[in-house]
Amino acid sequence: MSFVGFWIPVTAYPARVALVITALLALITQQHQSAEVNVSYVIALNVWMIICIAFVFFALIEYAIAIAYCESFYRLITTDDQHQHHSRVCHQSYRTIP
């Protein structure tokens, strides 16, 4: 579910953040519910859930990096009109901005 967010444009902040946060909260809830099995050792389910939570959290971090990159790239484009090297992802996302 969280990897569907990579198909959403970078400029769609609410959609991407809501999707990743929903996936993260769902995984944390499942982790909490699976903790009802009280054993003194780590079971495979715990390892699996921790890895899934880490991947979703890293997707959120990646999105923050993508926002920072596109914002700095947009500033570079607007300050330097002769700059011809446009990033395809950021350029398509900022096409409608005047």
Side-chain angles (χ1 to χ4, degrees), residues 69 73 76-77 80-88 91:
Y69 173 75
F73 187 77
L76 180 68
I77 288 174
D80 185 16
D81 292 334
Q82 297 174 355
H83 185 68
Q84 297 298 322
H85 302 288
H86 298 288
S87 173
R88 196 164 91 183
H91 180 65

Side-chain angles (χ1 to χ4, degrees), residues 23-35 42-57:
L24 188 62
L25 289 175
L27 282 171
I28 290 172
T29 301
Q30 287 178 354
Q31 175 70 21
H32 179 68
Q33 289 174 352
S34 69
V42 177
I43 57 176
L45 180 63
N46 292 343
V47 174
W48 174 259
M49 292 302 292
I50 289 171
I51 291 172
C52 288
I53 290 171
F55 272 109
V56 173
F57 181 73

Side-chain angles (χ1 to χ4, degrees), residues 59-81:
L60 187 63
I61 297 298
E62 180 273 335
Y63 181 53
I65 292 169
I67 289 173
Y69 173 75
C70 283
E71 290 293 327
S72 66
F73 187 77
Y74 181 68
R75 273 189 254 120
L76 180 68
I77 288 174
T78 56
T79 57
D80 185 16
D81 292 334

